Amino acid sequence: VERLELRGFDREELEEQLTGILGEAPAPELVDVLLERSDGLPFYVEELVADAGRGSLRLPTTLREILGLRLATLSTESLALVRAAAAIGGRIPHDHLAVASGMADDALLTAVREGIEARILVPGDSRDEPLYTFRHALLREAAYDELIPAERVRVHGRLADSLEASMRALPAPDPSIVADFAVHAYHAHDLPRALRGSVRALHALVDAVAYREAVDHAERALELWPRVEDAADC
């Protein structure tokens, strides 16, 4: 048996695939979104495009079932950890994972190792701190979708509390920490803290010349403003 490892499409190849599916050149924004969500895997691209044609941005049922089978191979502890990891984002620092999961060190390491051996999590390459990523972006989507609403609020709340403590300990925290705090506070439904975080992240990201990310926080702040009492004090 000869095993062939097939890589995902790059942006140009994915654009060519989309042109064949759609019958016309795709919008650059569509290419960017599908490249990020599919990791360039052609089957994933086809399923996502078919579902997008029905006006849905959620994970298609076909992919949800396939990815769900991968997740179902995990033990209860590892599955809980992977779901918590999905709430953190694309890059998953080990200390954030400990906060989000609420697991003790030994149980955490055992669950992480199982996730890696199941080819769901991948150890990241960082000299500063141990971190992980999901093998595929859609695996993260599927794991996050399995969190019930109360679990999502709890996990995001834990992360917001931890990040806020880090911000208080630093005279000038990294803009990414401020931005992450705002996002987690928002998903924890802590609207006053989410508004304060988005306003602070907006200024920090503008100073860092990260204008695209700054726009996201500006839009979130405008959304939250009428929903927060005494918003001007934020």
Side-chain angles (χ1 to χ4, degrees), residues 122-146:
V122 179
D125 183 15
S126 174
R127 297 180 180 178
D128 299 327
E129 58 181 351
L131 56 83
Y132 316 96
T133 60
F134 277 84
R135 184 167 293 277
H136 298 300
L138 291 183
L139 272 171
R140 176 179 170 246
E141 285 191 41
Y144 187 76
D145 284 348
E146 289 189 355

Side-chain angles (χ1 to χ4, degrees), residues 164-177:
E164 186 173 38
S166 297
M167 289 164 53
R168 289 174 177 168
L170 298 171
D174 189 282
S176 64
I177 295 178

Side-chain angles (χ1 to χ4, degrees), residues 41 44 63-75 78-79 82 114-122 134-136 138-139 142-143 146:
L41 298 180
Y44 288 0
L63 293 182
R64 188 185 307 279
E65 291 173 351
I66 292 170
L67 298 169
L69 291 174
R70 291 280 301 277
L71 296 171
T73 64
L74 297 174
S75 67
S78 188
L79 181 56
V82 166
E114 184 181 342
I116 292 171
E117 291 175 349
R119 297 176 62 83
I120 292 172
L121 297 178
V122 179
F134 277 84
R135 184 167 293 277
H136 298 300
L138 291 183
L139 272 171
E146 289 189 355

Side-chain angles (χ1 to χ4, degrees), residues 136-206:
H136 298 300
L138 291 183
L139 272 171
R140 176 179 170 246
E141 285 191 41
Y144 187 76
D145 284 348
E146 289 189 355
L147 286 168
I148 62 175
E151 288 177 318
R152 292 184 186 183
V153 170
R154 182 178 63 185
V155 170
H156 286 295
R158 286 174 175 171
L159 290 165
D161 291 343
S162 177
L163 290 167
E164 186 173 38
S166 297
M167 289 164 53
R168 289 174 177 168
L170 298 171
D174 189 282
S176 64
I177 295 178
V178 183
D180 286 346
F181 163 73
V183 170
H184 290 301
Y186 179 80
H187 289 298
H189 303 314
D190 190 340
L191 302 190
R193 284 205 300 174
L195 178 57
R196 289 196 299 272
S198 284
V199 171
R200 186 172 176 181
L202 169 61
H203 292 296
L205 290 167
V206 167

Side-chain angles (χ1 to χ4, degrees), residues 20-84:
I21 294 172
L22 301 173
E24 60 183 8
E29 296 81 5
L30 178 63
V31 178
D32 291 339
V33 168
L34 290 177
L35 183 60
E36 179 179 357
R37 294 185 73 193
S38 71
D39 294 317
L41 298 180
F43 172 69
Y44 288 0
V45 173
E46 289 185 20
E47 293 299 312
L48 289 169
V49 170
D51 210 57
R54 295 190 288 271
S56 174
L57 295 177
R58 296 183 62 81
L59 197 62
T61 302
T62 51
L63 293 182
R64 188 185 307 279
E65 291 173 351
I66 292 170
L67 298 169
L69 291 174
R70 291 280 301 277
L71 296 171
T73 64
L74 297 174
S75 67
T76 301
E77 294 76 13
S78 188
L79 181 56
L81 175 123
V82 166
R83 289 170 178 167

